[in-house]
Amino acid sequence: MEFPESNWGTKAVVGLEDSPRSNPKKRRITRWTVAIFLFLVATLPLSALNFRIRVYDPESDRSLPDVQVIILETKTRYYTDQKGEADATVPDPGIYTFRTIVPGGGLVQPRLQVNVPGQLITVFTSEPKSEQTRQTVGAGGITVRGRRDDTKLSRYNVRLDEIKRIPGQFGDAMKGLETLPGVSPPPFGGGDIVIRGAEPRSNTYLLDDLPIGYAFHFGGLNQVVHNDLIKSIDIYTGAYPANFSNAIGGVINIETVDEVEKFGGHTTFSLWATNVLFQAPLDDGKGYWIGSGRVSYLHLVLRPYIPDGMSPPFYWDGQFKIHYRFNPEHAIYFYFIGAKDTFAIEVEDTPEWDPTNEPDPLYIGAALDLNAAFHTEAVRYIWQPASNFQNRIDLIYHDNISYFKGKIGVYEAVQSHHNGYAAFKDDFSWAIYKENVILDGGFEYRNFQYRTNGSNIRVIDPEDPNPDPYDTENPDFETVPVDDRHRSSYMTGYGMLSFKGGGLEFKPGFRYDYFEPTNHEVVDPRGTLSYTFEKMGTTLIAGAGTYHQTPDPRTYSPSSANPYLNMEEGRHYGIGLEQVFLKQWTMKLEGYRHYFESLVVDDPYILKAARLREFRDLKDVRTQRHIDELIEAYQEPLVYNDRMGFSNDGTGFSEGYEFYIKKNLAPGKYGWYGWFSYYWSRTLYNEHQHIISDEEKDMVLSADERRILNQYDNSKDHYASFDRTVVVNVVLGYKIDREWQVGLRWNYRTSQPYTPVVGDDGGRQVNHGRVIFDPEYSDLKYSARLKPYHRLDIRIDRFLNYEWGYGNVFVEVLNVYLKKNEAGLSWSSAQPYSARNPRTIYDLGTLEQPVAGGKRMRFPLINAGLEVKF
Amino acid sequence: MMNRLFFKLNLSPLLFVIFFSVSGCIIEKDDISNQDAYSQLYSAIDYKAEVCGQKPGYFLILPGEPTQYEVDLCSITIVRSECPFNDYPLFCLELYGDLPLIGPEEN
Amino acid sequence: MRPFHRIFILVSAIFLIQFVVSCDNKENETDFETIQILYLILNRPTDIQSICESSQGSAFQCATDSGIFGATELYVATMESIYLVQVGSPRDETALCNALLNADTFPDPTNDGSTYYSTGSKVCYLNCQKDYWDRMQNAGNCTSTKYPNLSPFNDDTYQTCLTDCFTEGTILPP
């Protein structure tokens, strides 16, 4: 939450008068200009006006040379000299638009008044103050307090311009989050991130505090939000404050652009998708609208290369935001955020003359049709009756929709799934005593709406290590019809106090959560404590908190899963040290320990002694199957020993330390910037399920005896599937001049662990006449690792500056030194276990071209794109 | 507008990058070690021998370092061949020389 | 004291209390898993000897009712050959059960000698056999003409009874 009121383009005009921090020199200039203006207005000379333009960067407190300034009305262009000034001419006195291309590609275009010959007009290239301690004066004289500095521990804030041009991420800013400490990519994550050992599903992505269903399109090809809608991203990796709910991992809060001065836009073209953004002010700057979207054409580009039966991913997304400020006290926002992905594949049984060309026999005859979408609509009303109080009300509707149709062997399942909520939310912030005591609070009521219908396939005998989906005589699987519609409530509220003074900052807070399906109720304490030695620029920080997250509705479905699940729990502890030096450098060292409890895990053993069968409402009875089910439900209203499939038995633990050093570069400045991050961690999980031992495989037990034995938790702690011991990132960018920028990124990471394959099942299954070998895994789960992964990517940006904006052509070269990185192990079901099965598969970081003699040529992957801002 | 954009673009540094990248390519052969090849082939032979109750009266001896393709072809055809298993499938000859119309051409 | 200070102290106190006191009512939920397991453990079969004697008693009864001379002895001899045991004298239910319960093998086709049969699994066999012989008795099959054809091993219901006992069946009350 923040309350931006500043409009730094127009502030260039008013800033001289309004800002008490304007330097005396500027004030003198103003008085001088006003005096001359008054004198000249009287004489009214009607000839052309010669004046000087100065481009000034408040961050570095200096004027900028070699900057292009275009006066839009006269379509004339000027470049600043070594003093950062330029001579200019306009035909008449009046207000003109000074479009200024800031070094690094940014754009400011204040409307400034030219009155008298010889006048010095100053164009400010950025906000007069740093974002961290924003405090601006609104139109009504009300002091608007920013909350950007709300926590120091385990929080990293990155501006769009810092992460947008990181090499190797195909222009997607959000992929830059992977370079921050405490963050690592999961194997085959498709853009997902692991934050300090929490599973990716335990993180929450927010866009202006509103939910988004998923952050990346299919396979991580693109993010779901337009780059230029993003202003900055806050990532909270641990012990985050009480204002965030329903996540036990980390929080990624995307802050969108909140000021639009004139109609403009932005578009980017790449090999597989195009995106576009338009924006315009409303009603003389009282508000604005921004609309953006993306559509992919990968399916068209790849059409000639794709085998029959497969339709490659097709996706789109859209974001729309309207803001209107009625007066300084009342403002309103409307939001729409949505995305959709489709993908389908069908593997036909077409025998090949060359059996190595056939797909894996496991998948012959298999089909998969996958659609995913989400949409969020919200209305936000902000009321600010006084300078020290602000209240925000949100009405939110959010829905995640997925459609799945899959076929493997003789089984087919179709599911359509809606999982969303409607919510009412209120947040307030009250500065009780100046900036020293601040109270933040709020509550939210969510009504989860969950709907699934179709069918589900599950293994009949959970003890069966190799269930055979191709066996029609003694089926190992069963199809369970699913038809769930349920609504459940989640209520949450928080309070947070901030005490500041004399370098000390203490923020105790709590959050209350109530999860209606199981009446689970918790109060979580959270807090951070920090002390800053102002002279030394050193800050010591510590924090801790308890967090809860509601389970996935699929796992607490009353008809096919476990309706008795509780919320999952996380406990975060962290300490750290932050050192600021040489103005532009920040160094941070942090250590953490996170515990996870009551994690929802697959539990093949958990039974419900008896439950009442679900009775379908008579008005919903439409098909013969519904009638049969209803008759069955009346005849046998109780289901005994029903398997529920999921339990809260899982636990986890993660510990680590992080080192981060960053060289900042103020927006609009030339030079180099970048960061180095080193992250060491260890993450262990335990599902607390019974693992069938070798001795047990030779035991004949009655069903009840097995039930008792299955409660014996003999599973051991194992590394998480995404555990990486060391992750190192080096990101460097160099803004050479107005036209060129280069960047590099080097990434090193320990590979994820895997469970070694120790044999095969002897080829017991047959699909379409082809024998299938199933792998047999070692009892030592996740006990082996692939070789470390590292690669270097570079990127070159060329800017073409025009009066209407700029064009940017970029080229990225991935994996410059051609490291053959191991991505995982692949098992071929067509062959038995051997030294070459499973075999290592490699990362796509390089392209391969077969050449003569059974040889292959490898070269770096090159990506190019075109970006236009107007 | 677009034309001007491309026209104004000085492509030489970009071409340099592309040239640098392509010239930095690596050529590698698709060979696998003899030991791995034997392991893969004999796991298939052992499986088939168990299913059919017999195996060819002679050992399959590799002439040199075969390619992954050749070994895959032979081992999958062994697994999928019909009983009785008294000789190795024809495709295994690819291990000894390039069969016409099968797999990538060798020079 | 100024009103502001009162509010300030009150609000701070509430927060500090909340900050140190956390609550979670999760523990109040009934743990069905534990209850079920305790029930199963408390009710697991322990007196396997009497279960066996009751089961074999039913078999003996059917043999006796058939009126065929030496039918009981024939039954014991059959059990000796199937379970590879030696039954001592007197060759009654007790002696048969003494031998059976210590038998190394059970008639299981996958048994390669290393398989271990638990008490519960033996109870499955014994109970299903008892069920079989009682059914035969009630169906009037324990006669001189029909008895020679009786064998639980050819009976579908007996097989179903075994499958049920080994996979899904339970003594958990409905």
Side-chain angles (χ1 to χ4, degrees):
Chain A
M1 181 165 72
E2 74 126 350
F3 331 118
E5 182 57 26
S6 79
N7 181 324
W8 47 278
T10 51
K11 189 194 298 280
V13 188
V14 296
L16 298 177
E17 284 81 23
D18 286 357
S19 168
R21 284 178 181 76
S22 308
N23 64 40
K25 198 171 157 196
K26 274 191 243 162
R27 227 177 284 148
R28 237 184 1 254
I29 292 163
T30 315
R31 284 200 205 107
W32 193 72
T33 18
V34 170
I36 292 181
F37 169 71
L38 290 173
F39 172 74
L40 289 176
V41 163
T43 55
L44 279 176
L46 289 171
S47 55
L49 271 175
N50 294 319
F51 65 101
R52 280 185 81 71
I53 306 170
R54 181 170 68 140
V55 180
Y56 179 76
D57 177 17
E59 294 268 348
S60 61
D61 193 22
R62 68 185 181 96
S63 301
L64 300 177
D66 199 28
V67 173
Q68 179 182 250
V69 181
I70 297 155
I71 301 177
L72 284 189
E73 288 76 6
T74 59
K75 297 209 179 345
T76 45
R77 184 187 313 196
Y78 306 96
Y79 289 98
T80 55
D81 58 16
Q82 285 307 302
K83 286 163 65 188
E85 296 180 5
D87 288 316
T89 308
V90 286
D92 302 301
I95 295 173
Y96 292 90
T97 312
F98 291 78
R99 170 168 291 185
T100 308
I101 317 279
V102 176
L107 188 72
V108 289
Q109 40 186 13
R111 284 175 63 72
L112 306 172
Q113 195 162 20
V114 182
N115 301 311
V116 290
Q119 183 181 356
L120 181 69
I121 297 281
T122 305
V123 176
F124 290 86
T125 58
S126 63
E127 288 179 88
K129 294 184 65 202
S130 85
E131 279 187 283
Q132 296 290 315
T133 52
R134 179 182 313 161
Q135 181 167 332
T136 57
V137 177
I142 289 172
T143 307
V144 183
R145 196 172 48 77
R147 228 184 54 183
R148 293 295 302 275
D149 58 339
D150 53 0
T151 182
K152 284 197 172 76
L153 184 73
S154 312
R155 166 182 162 272
Y156 297 90
N157 176 266
V158 280
R159 293 194 316 263
L160 177 69
D161 66 304
E162 292 175 320
I163 50 171
K164 183 178 168 181
R165 303 191 201 283
I166 296 178
Q169 54 192 36
F170 302 103
D172 275 351
M174 282 163 68
K175 281 194 197 140
L177 296 175
E178 274 182 23
T179 64
L180 296 172
V183 179
S184 65
F188 314 111
D192 275 339
I193 51 174
V194 173
I195 299 177
R196 287 188 174 177
E199 290 189 51
R201 66 176 173 83
S202 305
N203 303 329
T204 187
Y205 280 90
L206 299 169
L207 184 131
D208 282 349
D209 279 346
L210 299 172
I212 56 175
Y214 47 90
F216 289 91
H217 286 294
F218 187 87
L221 283 175
N222 277 123
Q223 67 199 29
V224 299
V225 178
H226 194 288
N227 257 352
D228 292 84
L229 183 65
I230 301 173
K231 185 176 174 192
S232 70
I233 305 177
D234 270 315
I235 180 164
Y236 296 85
T237 57
Y240 42 83
N243 55 317
F244 294 110
S245 70
N246 212 16
I248 59 169
V251 175
I252 299 104
N253 196 11
I254 302 162
E255 186 198 5
T256 64
V257 169
D258 202 20
E259 55 185 317
V260 176
E261 290 162 26
K262 62 171 281 292
F263 176 79
H266 208 118
T267 181
T268 308
F269 302 92
S270 78
L271 188 64
W272 52 77
T274 285
N275 63 29
V276 65
L277 176 144
F278 288 104
Q279 55 186 24
L282 286 173
D283 195 15
D284 275 346
K286 280 188 167 173
Y288 61 84
W289 62 265
I290 307 175
S292 55
R294 175 195 330 263
V295 64
S296 82
Y297 36 77
L298 189 67
H299 60 299
L300 301 175
V301 177
L302 290 184
R303 174 54 64 204
Y305 312 101
I306 283 176
D308 290 342
M310 181 176 170
S311 53
F314 167 70
Y315 52 84
W316 63 262
D317 58 66
Q319 304 88 41
F320 193 71
K321 180 184 176 187
I322 300 181
H323 168 61
Y324 193 84
R325 183 172 286 276
F326 299 99
N327 55 44
E329 286 182 22
H330 303 280
I332 194 162
Y333 288 86
F334 292 94
Y335 283 91
F336 166 80
I337 315 157
K340 186 173 183 181
D341 283 60
T342 64
F343 174 72
I345 186 164
E346 191 175 351
V347 188
E348 284 172 13
D349 178 19
T350 44
E352 294 267 349
W353 172 245
D354 181 346
T356 61
N357 285 343
E358 282 184 4
D360 193 298
L362 200 62
Y363 304 116
I364 290 177
L368 180 68
D369 196 345
L370 208 59
N371 292 343
F374 78 85
H375 60 96
T376 303
E377 290 84 26
V379 183
R380 171 169 293 170
Y381 163 65
I382 293 177
W383 175 53
Q384 177 145 22
S387 61
N388 64 344
F389 185 84
Q390 193 198 55
N391 191 63
R392 187 179 84 178
I393 293 173
D394 285 317
L395 280 174
I396 305 167
Y397 184 75
H398 173 61
D399 199 10
N400 288 291
I401 306 150
S402 62
Y403 171 82
F404 164 88
K405 186 177 172 185
K407 190 180 150 207
I408 187 160
V410 291
Y411 298 95
E412 200 167 344
V414 181
Q415 269 189 27
S416 100
H417 194 81
H418 283 259
N419 166 20
Y421 62 82
F424 174 83
K425 199 170 170 228
D426 185 275
D427 296 88
F428 70 87
S429 182
W430 174 29
I432 299 176
Y433 182 69
K434 294 180 184 167
E435 290 290 305
N436 302 99
V437 184
I438 297 162
L439 171 68
D440 288 289
F443 67 91
E444 182 180 351
Y445 171 80
R446 267 186 213 183
N447 191 267
F448 285 117
Q449 296 166 0
Y450 171 71
R451 207 162 83 228
T452 282
N453 49 46
S455 52
N456 209 354
I457 300 170
R458 70 179 182 191
V459 187
I460 293 173
D461 178 11
E463 316 270 307
D464 189 348
N466 283 314
D468 181 358
Y470 313 101
D471 187 349
T472 44
E473 290 190 1
N474 297 302
D476 286 345
F477 291 85
E478 58 187 345
T479 306
V480 193
V482 188
D483 195 349
D484 278 352
R485 270 154 212 271
H486 63 89
R487 284 164 184 264
S488 49
S489 298
Y490 167 66
M491 277 176 261
T492 182
Y494 71 97
M496 191 164 68
L497 260 180
S498 305
F499 301 95
K500 284 183 208 173
L504 185 75
E505 197 174 294
F506 177 45
K507 297 184 174 200
F510 74 90
R511 181 169 270 278
Y512 165 83
D513 285 310
Y514 170 73
F515 180 52
E516 184 244 331
T518 44
N519 288 321
H520 188 193
E521 202 175 1
V522 286
V523 178
D524 292 338
R526 301 179 190 180
T528 55
L529 182 66
S530 72
Y531 187 78
T532 306
F533 300 90
E534 292 285 355
K535 281 183 187 166
M536 291 150 64
T538 311
T539 307
L540 298 173
I541 334 156
T546 306
Y547 303 85
H548 279 86
Q549 182 172 8
T550 57
D552 186 305
R554 182 181 60 94
T555 62
Y556 66 85
S557 151
S559 71
S560 65
N562 184 354
Y564 306 98
L565 290 181
N566 282 309
M567 285 186 278
E568 297 179 311
E569 183 183 313
R571 287 200 316 277
H572 299 182
Y573 303 92
I575 51 165
L577 175 126
E578 190 181 284
Q579 177 71 49
V580 180
F581 57 100
L582 296 174
K583 250 180 157 182
Q584 292 169 321
W585 291 79
T586 313
M587 189 205 77
K588 215 168 180 183
L589 183 67
E590 284 197 14
Y592 76 90
R593 195 171 267 200
H594 290 186
Y595 298 90
F596 304 106
E597 267 159 37
S598 299
L599 297 178
V600 175
V601 289
D602 284 331
D603 187 335
Y605 308 116
I606 187 168
L607 296 176
K608 171 78 184 128
R611 69 164 172 88
L612 198 61
R613 212 182 275 277
E614 297 285 306
F615 283 82
R616 186 185 291 275
D617 232 35
L618 278 177
K619 67 178 184 340
D620 292 330
V621 173
R622 294 193 191 91
T623 64
Q624 184 59 43
R625 203 188 84 202
H626 292 169
I627 296 170
D628 294 344
E629 278 172 12
L630 199 64
I631 293 171
E632 199 189 344
Y634 276 108
Q635 285 172 342
E636 287 178 41
L638 283 170
V639 184
Y640 301 111
N641 296 310
D642 190 31
R643 286 200 279 120
M644 300 195 285
F646 301 94
S647 69
N648 276 117
D649 287 352
T651 59
F653 162 81
S654 178
E655 63 181 358
Y657 63 89
E658 303 155 7
F659 176 73
Y660 178 65
I661 184 159
K662 184 182 180 186
K663 158 85 162 62
N664 288 296
L665 183 68
K669 281 185 66 182
Y670 299 121
W672 73 276
Y673 67 96
W675 56 90
F676 166 87
S677 73
Y678 176 92
Y679 169 43
W680 181 94
S681 70
R682 188 169 78 104
T683 303
L684 299 168
Y685 272 76
N686 192 331
E687 284 76 28
H688 295 289
Q689 297 301 309
H690 179 66
I691 308 294
I692 300 161
S693 64
D694 285 342
E695 297 77 44
E696 238 179 276
K697 283 176 189 157
D698 292 328
M699 282 163 85
V700 181
L701 299 169
S702 74
D704 276 341
E705 280 176 327
R706 203 164 273 291
R707 283 188 183 101
I708 296 170
L709 189 63
N710 287 343
Q711 293 307 310
Y712 168 50
D713 164 21
N714 59 348
S715 61
K716 296 186 176 71
D717 282 4
H718 59 80
Y719 278 115
S721 60
F722 45 76
D723 177 84
R724 297 184 192 276
T725 314
V726 172
V727 179
V728 181
N729 274 290
V730 179
V731 174
L732 283 179
Y734 187 65
K735 293 179 181 174
I736 304 168
D737 57 25
R738 295 188 300 116
E739 293 182 337
W740 292 97
Q741 180 175 342
V742 291
L744 73 81
R745 178 200 173 184
W746 184 72
N747 171 242
Y748 170 95
R749 53 188 196 237
T750 314
S751 283
Q752 73 274 11
Y754 65 89
T755 310
V757 175
V758 290
D760 61 62
D761 69 338
R764 285 188 294 200
Q765 302 167 17
V766 176
N767 181 24
H768 288 79
R770 295 160 182 94
V771 181
I772 289 172
F773 295 91
D774 268 350
E776 268 180 7
Y777 292 97
S778 158
D779 290 340
L780 302 166
K781 235 175 156 184
Y782 299 114
S783 57
R785 276 182 206 269
L786 300 167
K787 289 184 187 128
Y789 181 106
H790 56 93
R791 80 175 210 220
L792 175 72
D793 302 330
I794 56 172
R795 171 171 162 143
I796 297 181
D797 283 89
R798 166 84 161 94
F799 297 92
L800 302 158
N801 301 302
Y802 295 95
E803 57 268 31
W804 46 261
Y806 69 83
N808 165 223
V809 182
F810 64 88
V811 176
E812 293 180 302
V813 183
L814 278 67
N815 199 353
V816 177
Y817 56 81
L818 292 168
K819 169 79 165 61
K820 204 170 174 184
N821 281 312
E822 296 181 344
L825 290 175
S826 149
W827 171 263
S828 161
S829 305
Q831 303 180 52
Y833 170 75
S834 71
R836 293 294 296 164
N837 193 28
R839 71 183 63 150
T840 315
I841 49 169
Y842 296 93
D843 187 54
L844 285 175
T846 55
L847 291 176
E848 289 190 356
Q849 175 70 35
V851 291
K855 292 177 182 170
R856 280 169 301 137
M857 186 170 75
R858 294 196 300 124
F859 46 90
L861 192 66
I862 294 172
N863 175 48
L866 171 68
E867 182 195 356
V868 180
K869 184 178 167 86
F870 49 92
Chain B
M1 193 156 78
M2 281 302 167
N3 280 343
R4 268 180 67 197
L5 195 83
F6 280 111
F7 182 73
K8 265 203 79 173
L9 174 67
N10 180 358
L11 280 170
S12 55
L14 302 180
L15 288 173
F16 169 75
V17 168
I18 293 165
F19 174 74
F20 161 73
S21 317
V22 175
S23 62
C25 71
I26 292 176
I27 290 186
E28 58 181 33
K29 205 167 181 327
D30 216 357
D31 290 344
I32 57 171
S33 78
N34 236 312
Q35 205 180 345
D36 283 1
Y38 275 119
S39 163
Q40 191 181 340
L41 289 170
Y42 276 88
S43 70
I45 292 168
D46 290 347
Y47 162 77
K48 205 68 210 173
E50 200 181 315
V51 171
C52 300
Q54 64 175 135
K55 63 177 169 185
Y58 59 98
F59 291 104
L60 195 63
I61 296 184
L62 294 169
E65 303 251 301
T67 66
Q68 183 63 65
Y69 169 77
E70 293 159 355
V71 180
D72 280 346
L73 185 68
C74 180
S75 92
I76 297 173
T77 37
I78 289 172
V79 167
R80 300 214 179 138
S81 60
E82 301 276 324
C83 286
F85 182 40
N86 46 27
D87 206 345
Y88 299 109
L90 189 67
F91 279 168
C92 290
L93 283 176
E94 177 86 7
L95 289 164
Y96 302 93
D98 195 17
L99 290 178
L101 305 175
I102 302 288
E105 295 296 312
E106 286 178 30
N107 292 322
Chain C
M1 199 185 260
R2 279 166 34 203
F4 165 73
H5 286 126
R6 276 190 211 146
I7 294 172
F8 174 63
I9 289 169
L10 186 71
V11 170
S12 309
I14 292 169
F15 271 81
L16 291 175
I17 291 166
Q18 282 293 4
F19 183 61
V20 290
V21 180
S22 65
C23 90
D24 188 340
N25 74 341
K26 187 176 66 188
E27 303 308 322
N28 303 338
E29 298 292 325
T30 319
D31 188 340
F32 292 102
E33 247 175 310
T34 312
I35 290 173
Q36 282 186 342
I37 296 313
L38 286 176
Y39 183 87
L40 286 174
I41 292 171
L42 288 172
N43 290 287
R44 72 192 193 283
T46 44
D47 190 4
I48 189 168
Q49 184 72 24
S50 61
I51 293 170
C52 178
E53 285 178 22
S54 158
S55 158
Q56 298 312 308
S58 296
F60 278 49
Q61 191 61 49
C62 189
T64 312
D65 290 356
S66 72
I68 298 171
F69 176 73
T72 317
E73 176 51 33
L74 185 67
Y75 175 76
V76 174
T78 312
M79 294 300 271
E80 277 182 318
S81 66
I82 292 172
Y83 288 95
L84 302 174
V85 287
Q86 290 288 324
V87 178
S89 327
R91 293 165 73 82
D92 59 2
E93 297 101 293
T94 311
L96 178 57
C97 283
N98 281 337
L100 276 185
L101 295 177
N102 292 312
D104 286 337
T105 57
F106 265 70
D108 183 297
T110 62
N111 186 12
D112 57 1
S114 62
T115 307
Y116 164 78
Y117 284 78
S118 69
T119 305
S121 65
K122 289 175 187 169
V123 170
C124 284
Y125 281 102
L126 296 168
N127 281 344
C128 289
Q129 284 179 21
K130 178 177 169 58
D131 169 71
Y132 174 79
W133 291 115
D134 288 349
R135 268 190 293 114
M136 293 303 110
Q137 187 73 270
N138 295 337
N141 288 340
C142 299
T143 61
S144 57
T145 48
K146 292 179 181 167
Y147 182 77
N149 299 324
L150 296 186
S151 164
F153 306 111
N154 305 329
D155 183 61
D156 286 345
T157 315
Y158 173 75
Q159 295 297 341
T160 314
C161 170
L162 281 183
T163 314
D164 186 53
C165 188
F166 283 115
T167 57
E168 289 295 321
T170 181
I171 57 159
L172 286 173

